[in-house]
């Protein structure tokens, strides 16, 4: 059943992306659906739990204009998955820079705290497309990267 739901979500995202391309505009994405699709695609070493949007905004330093879907682990690992919808492409580009800086800080912190987590952070996925941004730190984020690239165009 999970495979059917995942396949349906993938088909929906593909259809939305194709429809948006046909109109010459950026894709309209449902970040909640995309987040669930990416979570199903990733290989995580622990269960990631949903974060309240206001908590997530504080964690990532985003403003009230930015919607986010976030799952994070216990802190025993560096794993996290977040999908953001900003007001425009410029805000998305600024968020990417902020996430890259945050990730570099986390690499430094985890190198003395839990060094085994550093490779996950070094292979973090930080992608944007239009006004959307995806962040993923996982044991294996390659499938997340592939799905996010398709969804973001």
């Amino acid at each position: 059943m999970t495979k059917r739901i995942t396949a349906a979500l993938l088909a929906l995202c593909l259809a939305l992306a194709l429809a948006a391309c046909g109109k010459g505009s950026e894709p309209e994405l449902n970040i909640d659906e995309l987040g669930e699709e990416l979570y199903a695609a990733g290989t995580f070493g622990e269960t990631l739990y949903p974060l309240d949007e206001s908590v997530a905004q504080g964690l990532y330093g985003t403003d009230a204009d930015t919607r986010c879907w976030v799952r994070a682990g216990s802190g025993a690992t560096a794993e996290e998955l977040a999908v953001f919808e900003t007001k425009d492409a410029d805000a998305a580009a600024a968020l990417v820079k902020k996430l890259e800086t945050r990730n570099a800080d986390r690499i430094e912190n985890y190198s003395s705290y839990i060094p085994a987590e550093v490779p996950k952070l070094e292979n973090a996925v930080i992608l944007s497309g239009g006004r959307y941004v995806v962040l993923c730190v996982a044991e294996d984020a390659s499938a997340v990267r592939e799905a996010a690239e398709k969804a973001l165009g």
Side-chain angles (χ1 to χ4, degrees), residues 125-149:
V125 172
I126 302 174
L127 298 171
S128 68
R131 65 182 194 273
Y132 302 98
V133 178
V134 171
L135 163 70
C136 180
V137 177
E139 278 187 8
D140 182 359
S142 58
V144 171
R145 176 182 297 279
E146 187 176 312
E149 286 172 344

Side-chain angles (χ1 to χ4, degrees), residues 38-136:
L38 297 177
Y39 185 58
T43 302
F44 299 94
E46 69 173 326
T47 301
L48 302 184
Y49 298 96
L51 290 185
D52 180 74
E53 192 162 11
S54 63
V55 172
Q57 287 173 334
L59 179 65
Y60 296 106
T62 60
D63 58 32
D65 290 339
T66 300
R67 280 206 58 239
C68 55
W69 176 100
V70 179
R71 284 189 179 235
S74 63
T77 71
E79 296 181 340
E80 61 188 336
L81 177 61
V83 181
F84 302 91
E85 180 179 3
T86 64
K87 63 182 177 181
D88 56 33
D90 290 338
L95 179 56
V96 165
K97 289 186 185 301
K98 188 181 283 191
L99 293 175
E100 289 171 343
T101 300
R102 178 180 177 275
N103 196 61
D105 291 344
R106 291 183 81 211
I107 289 171
E108 185 176 322
N109 292 336
Y110 271 89
S111 64
S112 61
Y113 176 56
I114 308 174
E117 293 298 300
V118 171
K120 293 177 188 178
L121 291 160
E122 291 173 338
N123 293 311
V125 172
I126 302 174
L127 298 171
S128 68
R131 65 182 194 273
Y132 302 98
V133 178
V134 171
L135 163 70
C136 180

